[in-house]
Amino acid sequence: MTGDGLRSGQVADAAGVNIQTLRYYERRGLLAEPDRSPGGHRLYPEEAVTALRVIKAAQRLGFTLEEVAELLEAGRHRHGRPVAGLQGRAAAKLAEVDAKIADLTTIRTALASAVDAGCDDLTACASSTCCPIPFTDLAEENRHGGPCC
């Protein structure tokens, strides 16, 4: 580190991202544009490392970059006052994740049943009454009996 700040590579390494990610976040406004050295090198404050870690952590929690930007912006304007931000958004994201888990559980159950039933042909399964794959658009009366998949 220099006395005036960290260079791009140092910030990227410390935060566990590559330089292109650092610059992309800068272009998106997630990171403030850094000062420049007399030689033109970007010089970031140490807080940039923390900001990058926060961004990456929020992404791992399922927040989009747009949502991360909104959370960061809300945090910048708090000035010591409580602001609707992380709690509400985290609760909404949790509900979204729970819905995805429920959908994936349904898909997993259907796939496991199809594997257990020996289904090997979607067309044959679609016309079989015992096929576990949920062919929801097919009316029950149009399904033909016969051996399972």
Side-chain angles (χ1 to χ4, degrees), residues 60-121:
R60 284 190 299 275
L61 291 173
F63 290 100
T64 65
L65 282 181
E66 184 174 320
E67 291 168 330
V68 172
E70 291 169 2
L71 286 169
L72 292 173
E73 190 62 25
R76 287 184 190 119
H77 294 294
R78 278 182 50 168
H79 302 295
R81 296 181 314 273
V83 176
L86 184 58
Q87 279 294 313
R89 292 169 195 254
K93 187 58 69 176
L94 182 58
E96 184 182 311
V97 168
D98 285 342
K100 286 180 184 179
I101 288 171
D103 288 345
L104 288 172
T105 300
T106 300
I107 292 167
R108 188 195 186 292
T109 300
L111 287 172
S113 296
V115 168
D116 291 345
C119 295
D120 201 30
D121 182 323

Side-chain angles (χ1 to χ4, degrees), residues 5-23:
L6 300 167
R7 291 184 54 180
S8 299
Q10 293 171 307
V11 172
D13 286 344
V17 301
N18 62 48
I19 292 175
Q20 289 79 18
T21 300
L22 173 67
R23 300 246 171 89

Side-chain angles (χ1 to χ4, degrees), residues 16 42 53 82 129 142 148:
R42 289 175 166 86
R53 289 178 180 160
T129 58
N142 291 336
C148 194

